[in-house]
Amino acid sequence: MRKILEEFYFGNLRPSERRVTPSSELRQAVSSVSRCEQQLMEQLMEQLNEGEQAILKDMVSAQQDIDSITGCESFVLGFRLGVRMMAECMDQDDGDTLEMTRPD
């Protein structure tokens, strides 16, 4: 337990910077989306004027912000759920267990 607290204190825990296995389904999906996005952006940039290009770039940036915020919120909600589950495990007044005593 102390090790993880030390890692947290020194800022070494970064859930948003997780590693993705190169051959995983996630890595393949990310690569596919990235490739398609780049091809689409190249085609669109040729067809759009400067103002439209700026709008498209702003939209892509805003979507990335949304994804980041959503990821953070999901992490926080999941962590809170885990803590609530642990707290409930520690509750001895839930009526599910009977206090065991030795006969005198």
Side-chain angles (χ1 to χ4, degrees), residues 15-81:
S16 62
E17 295 179 8
R18 66 181 180 176
R19 292 187 184 133
V20 179
T21 306
S23 61
S24 71
E25 289 182 44
L26 177 59
R27 172 60 80 193
Q28 292 171 4
V30 168
S31 294
S32 178
V33 167
S34 180
R35 196 172 41 256
C36 291
E37 181 182 9
Q38 181 158 354
Q39 290 172 351
L40 185 58
M41 290 295 278
E42 287 172 1
Q43 290 177 5
L44 285 173
M45 290 305 181
E46 293 174 4
Q47 299 172 10
L48 301 177
N49 64 41
E50 284 186 29
E52 293 168 333
Q53 289 178 12
I55 292 170
L56 180 59
K57 288 178 182 178
D58 288 346
M59 184 190 73
V60 169
S61 178
Q63 183 61 53
Q64 291 170 341
D65 291 344
I66 289 170
D67 293 345
S68 178
I69 292 166
T70 302
C72 181
E73 283 299 308
S74 295
F75 174 80
V76 169
L77 292 173
F79 191 87
R80 286 180 175 166
L81 176 60

Side-chain angles (χ1 to χ4, degrees), residues 75-93:
F75 174 80
V76 169
L77 292 173
F79 191 87
R80 286 180 175 166
L81 176 60
V83 168
R84 286 185 184 127
M85 292 172 73
M86 292 302 297
E88 187 155 328
C89 289
M90 304 303 285
D91 184 11
Q92 294 182 6
D93 296 326

Side-chain angles (χ1 to χ4, degrees), residues 8-19:
F8 182 63
Y9 176 80
F10 289 113
N12 296 330
L13 296 178
R14 294 180 189 95
S16 62
E17 295 179 8
R18 66 181 180 176
R19 292 187 184 133

